[in-house]
Structure formats: C-alpha cells, structure tokens
Amino acid sequence: NIPDIAIANSTTIIEEMGVLAEKNFRKSMNILKQWDKKRLDKIKEREEAIDKMEEKVTKFLVMLASLELSDQESINITSLLKVEDEFEKIGDYAYEFSQIVDNIHEKEIKISEEAFKELEVMYNITEDTILTTTKAFKEKDLNLVVQIEALKEIAEMKKEKCKMSHIKRLKQGKCNVESGMMFLDIISICEKIIHHCSNIAIVTLNYITNEDF
C-alpha cells in the first residue's frame, strides 16, 4: 500500500525533526553554561535541516492528500501535518534560545546565580517534556501523554515563581533590566515549547483513543 509506506516514511522524518529540535534546545543550554561558537554554528545548521525537512514533508503530505485515500489515511495525513508543524515551532524556539545566548555573550550580560538556578530548573522541566513528547509520539504511549500534561502543570507553577523571584531581585538590585529581560525571554521560550509539546500530546492521544494514524 503506497499511502501507508509514504505515511510511515513521513512519520520517521517528523520523529527526526523532534530529535534535532531537542538537541538544539539542549545545546543552547550548554552554551549558556559555557560559551562555544562552534556549537552555536552547529545549532544553526540543525535548525536549517529542520526547516528543510518540514518543507519537504509538507509538500509530500499535501501531494499525498490530493490522491484518492481512505478516510483513515486522510485523517493520518492531517494529524502528521499538525505534529510536523508543532515540532518545527519547537525547533524555532530552540534556535531562538541560542540567539539569546549569543546576545548574552556578545553584550557580556551577567545573570545572577539565583536567576541561573531558576533557569536550570525551568530548562530541566522543558527538556524532560521534549524528550517525553518525542517518545510519546514515536511509541504512541498513553502514560507518556499523561506525563506531558503533568509536566505542563509543573512548568506553569514554576514560571509564576520565576516571575515573582525576578521582580524581587529587581527591587533588591540583584539584577539589572537587561539581564532580567534575557531571563524572562528564556522562561517564555520554555513555556512556548511546552505548549507545542502539549499540542503534540493531544494529537497523539487522539491516535491512541481513535487510532487516527
């Protein structure tokens, strides 16, 4: 069955997009801890690879959708287009993270030890969420889908704590406006990535319950 093979091949490429997006997010945190221009360049290369994959798979799936397909196959293609778009956005935000780190390095912005520890906690929650999402999509595992939603709730609570701590530090003069903006930008990126992971979880849940793709 040609559509089934095409859908399977597209799914594999979309999974790889998720793997590359996760790697870029992880490497962005690495260069925040220890600056490395070569790693920054590699992040850009991976982001370009994600964009090319997305363009290729979108064209392929749209072309496939124009063929005479069963209802099930049409639903599968729609679901894959949604997931692909979400992984591409996660990749965009991971790349944006690296650009903020580049800016921090260029301007020699200092992030306080307290703020950095909070960033690490938010990073760890987000990293766990991306890894769980890529695995949930690949394995179609309901338990992992539930974990993603639980991580989203934890991240929401942590985000509010981070914002309150940030205001407190500003009032106490422990950080300046510029470093504070970078801090909030990274927290925002984590929040957005988790939102897109949650969207993938919803599509994956639909598959598990309705066997959509």
Side-chain angles (χ1 to χ4, degrees):
N1 187 319
I2 291 170
D4 284 351
I5 295 165
I7 287 166
N9 288 341
S10 298
T11 303
T12 302
I13 295 169
I14 294 166
E15 286 167 5
E16 181 60 21
M17 285 172 66
V19 169
L20 291 177
E22 179 278 321
K23 190 169 187 178
N24 270 1
F25 183 70
R26 179 163 35 91
K27 296 296 182 183
S28 294
M29 188 62 178
N30 287 349
I31 62 169
L32 179 61
K33 290 177 180 177
Q34 188 172 356
W35 175 252
D36 187 330
K37 179 69 167 61
K38 284 182 182 177
R39 279 186 174 177
L40 180 73
D41 292 341
K42 283 283 184 188
I43 290 167
K44 188 175 183 182
E45 284 175 22
R46 281 190 291 271
E47 167 60 11
E48 286 169 357
I50 292 168
D51 287 344
K52 282 175 186 171
M53 285 177 181
E54 193 259 349
E55 191 179 342
K56 186 178 175 182
V57 174
T58 299
K59 281 181 182 175
F60 186 60
L61 289 174
V62 168
M63 181 194 72
L64 200 60
S66 68
L67 302 177
E68 208 170 298
L69 303 168
S70 68
D71 290 345
Q72 192 63 60
E73 286 163 346
S74 295
I75 292 167
N76 293 350
I77 289 167
T78 304
S79 298
L80 286 175
L81 283 166
K82 284 178 188 173
V83 173
E84 174 208 43
D85 185 54
E86 299 297 341
F87 273 132
E88 196 268 334
K89 285 186 171 74
I90 292 168
D92 284 347
Y93 286 121
Y95 179 67
E96 192 180 320
F97 182 11
S98 75
Q99 295 308 290
I100 292 169
V101 177
D102 189 22
N103 202 11
I104 288 168
H105 174 74
E106 286 293 316
K107 294 182 178 178
E108 297 182 347
I109 295 164
K110 301 295 178 193
I111 294 172
S112 70
E113 190 179 337
E114 188 185 334
F116 197 88
K117 281 179 182 175
E118 288 184 348
L119 281 180
E120 279 192 307
V121 172
M122 197 69 186
Y123 161 80
N124 286 332
I125 297 166
T126 311
E127 173 68 5
D128 281 352
T129 309
I130 303 170
L131 286 171
T132 307
T133 302
T134 53
K135 195 175 179 186
F137 175 65
K138 187 173 185 176
E139 298 179 6
K140 311 296 182 286
D141 188 324
L142 182 59
N143 289 328
L144 294 175
V145 169
V146 172
Q147 280 180 40
I148 294 161
E149 290 311 302
L151 285 164
K152 186 182 177 185
E153 293 299 317
I154 294 165
E156 186 63 32
M157 288 186 285
K158 185 60 194 170
K159 180 198 75 175
E160 293 307 321
K161 281 186 181 178
C162 285
K163 286 183 175 179
M164 288 177 76
S165 298
H166 164 68
I167 292 164
K168 191 178 174 183
R169 281 192 297 273
L170 271 178
K171 285 180 178 176
Q172 292 173 344
K174 288 182 180 178
C175 74
N176 59 41
V177 173
E178 196 167 29
S179 66
M181 285 297 290
M182 298 295 172
F183 172 82
L184 291 177
D185 283 347
I186 295 169
I187 295 294
S188 175
I189 280 170
C190 290
E191 183 187 14
K192 287 169 182 173
I193 285 174
I194 290 170
H195 171 75
H196 291 297
C197 285
S198 177
N199 289 346
I200 294 168
I202 290 163
V203 178
T204 307
L205 177 64
N206 287 340
Y207 162 77
I208 295 163
T209 53
N210 303 320
E211 297 190 356
D212 279 350
F213 69 90

